[in-house]
Amino acid sequence: REQSMKNARLQSVISQIKRLCRKRKIDGDQPNEKLQWKLHICSENNFPTAAGLASSAAGYACLVYALSKLYGVEGDISKIARLGSGSACRSIHGGFVIWNKGDAEDGEDSSTEQIAPETHWPELRVLILVVSDQTKHTASTVGMQTSVETSDLLHQRLQGVPKRIERIKKAILRKDFHSFAEITMKDSNQLHAVCLDTYPPISYLTDTSHHIMQLVHAINQDNSSNMVAYSFDAGPNAFLFMQEKDVPTVLDILHYFYPNSDPHFIRGIHVPGKHDTHVDYTAFSDIKVIPRALKFIIHTKPGPGPSVQESDNGLLTKDGLPK
Amino acid sequence: REQSMKNARLQSVISQIKRLCRKRKIDGDQPNEKLQWKLHICSENNFPTAAGLASSAAGYACLVYALSKLYGVEGDISKIARLGSGSACRSIHGGFVIWNKGDAEDGEDSSTEQIAPETHWPELRVLILVVSDQTKHTASTVGMQTSVETSDLLHQRLQGVPKRIERIKKAILRKDFHSFAEITMKDSNQLHAVCLDTYPPISYLTDTSHHIMQLVHAINQDNSSNMVAYSFDAGPNAFLFMQEKDVPTVLDILHYFYPNSDPHFIRGIHVPGKHDTHVDYTAFSDIKVIPRALKFIIHTKPGPGPSVQESDNGLLTKDGLPK
């Protein structure tokens, strides 16, 4: 689909990169003739866009990285990525990234920092459960602004953030999955509690989201230790975290409670063969089976940041037109 | 249905009333021969029990009141009612009642107080929306205990309670519906936010509950002032508050969004004839119509406390057996 370049965020990202490129020239380099070039941008995604899966964060991180390579810009480009999509500043890095809020009132000095590369915890897996009962989308930026203005509970939440960040950082560095899971779930629940405390209230979680939460707690209780964690962003889809060894068990349980005959129900990293995990479902007798509650599941893991592809893999021909 | 009297709460209520009766005797009265009588208790409800509609509060308030009349006990019987069901202490009084928490750690000195009789605001109406997607019930006492132990946000909520109580008291005394509605809705949302912040999270609201909330905010926005307020207890059913003059409009809107052909769909106070409220539904174009989302609606209003019925209306015969 051909789209206009007149998008304000896109223009702001391009002009900031060009500004940095011009700045470098002053230091003695030859004028960069690429600054006169026209740009063709072609983008492809291997997961659904505009479904609350942070596709704009991924897209802007890649775009800003690609532009920085094209114009030879170095240094911290995450601030430029942020102009495209707030959380794109995190996606510039691979692995486990922290977004420090900085000291300025307007957040202008916030910055991102990789606390561990994706190779640090290669066993960590993510199942993205795309639910069928998608609700009307409240744009996350608008929602958060209303929370700041109306939620009494947000104040208490913010006080707890620094301590929580320290604790999850430690859990990640130690690969302590049990603690990682608990902190992740509590933080997700508190975010959505603040949304509900907003006036008028904001609600991203649906009955299916709550059903997934109930199932995860039942799995963890049955396991006597946390095997799975959930996290919900500004939408009803669940992000389940677990260790590689537990993926077959969790997939079996998900197949059991959310039966779905779609041959493409599970996407992403392939888990070979039929599992033989012998789950005892008597421990889950409280939980209802809901056919087709999930549209599909994406199986993925923490990955590296953006990288330049071989030109053979590019999306444009030598003439700069889409292949 | 015949039931055993061995229920611990029931026994505790009966023995406390008898204790107070014996105490009075010491002051010079004749021994009360009724203390030797056997008790037959027969109870009837005109609304659903165990559906999160506070039927045990109503039941214990009536029982304790009836026993106090039988044994000639006077004074504050709300503490005895509380032994049967916490909020029964409020239901001893009619109209608008405040439950003061007291100073003792264990709440033993908490007490109830009528701030206005039901005749103070006779225009106030309540529509109880009994929803179809009833979830598994988390007993409210157990749920609240877990919140006290695990919710960080509860602390902030508790700090705001005294001010909120003062504000809603003032709104009730002034019959300021707009403020009454806003305080009621914010308090309901904050209660459920704390439930979500509990670990593991507690969720009483369903998709239908959230849909009702969204609809109420749309009605109020269209009206430029609050016409309806919602409140949710430990369950998905909505308690909608409004003024008598707005009941036909609200019922029309509810019929439109939750169509239901049950001839007994609306129960309780009768609203005569077909309404002719001319609602302009273009203001609600965001909101989906959901047939049969509600099981039924009870139309009621704040009423008086318990009262002794004429013996002709009693549920037992002269021989003490059910009619």
Side-chain angles (χ1 to χ4, degrees), chain A residues 159-174:
Chain A
Q159 286 187 329
V161 167
K163 202 173 146 200
R164 188 170 286 175
I165 296 228
E166 274 318 302
R167 288 177 53 226
I168 199 155
K169 219 163 143 176
K170 208 178 276 179
I172 291 169
L173 292 175
R174 289 181 182 166

Side-chain angles (χ1 to χ4, degrees), chain A residues 11-26:
Chain A
Q11 283 301 330
S12 140
V13 154
I14 294 172
S15 71
Q16 287 301 312
I17 287 275
K18 285 186 168 178
R19 196 179 58 81
L20 284 187
C21 175
R22 272 186 221 102
K23 237 172 147 183
R24 286 200 65 194
K25 191 192 65 174
I26 297 165

Side-chain angles (χ1 to χ4, degrees), chain A residues 231-267:
Chain A
S231 180
F232 295 84
D233 208 333
N237 301 322
F239 299 81
L240 300 190
F241 299 88
M242 70 212 69
Q243 295 170 93
E244 186 178 10
K245 66 180 173 58
D246 295 321
V247 170
T249 304
V250 174
L251 280 178
D252 271 5
I253 296 174
L254 293 174
H255 273 296
Y256 181 88
F257 283 104
Y258 310 116
N260 195 308
S261 56
D262 183 346
H264 303 291
F265 185 48
I266 313 286
R267 306 173 188 189

Side-chain angles (χ1 to χ4, degrees), chain B residues 272-291:
Chain B
K274 174 135 179 59
H275 322 133
D276 203 11
T277 53
H278 302 296
V279 178
D280 177 6
Y281 288 99
T282 55
F284 305 104
S285 58
D286 276 2
I287 301 177
K288 270 192 298 190
V289 169
I290 315 183

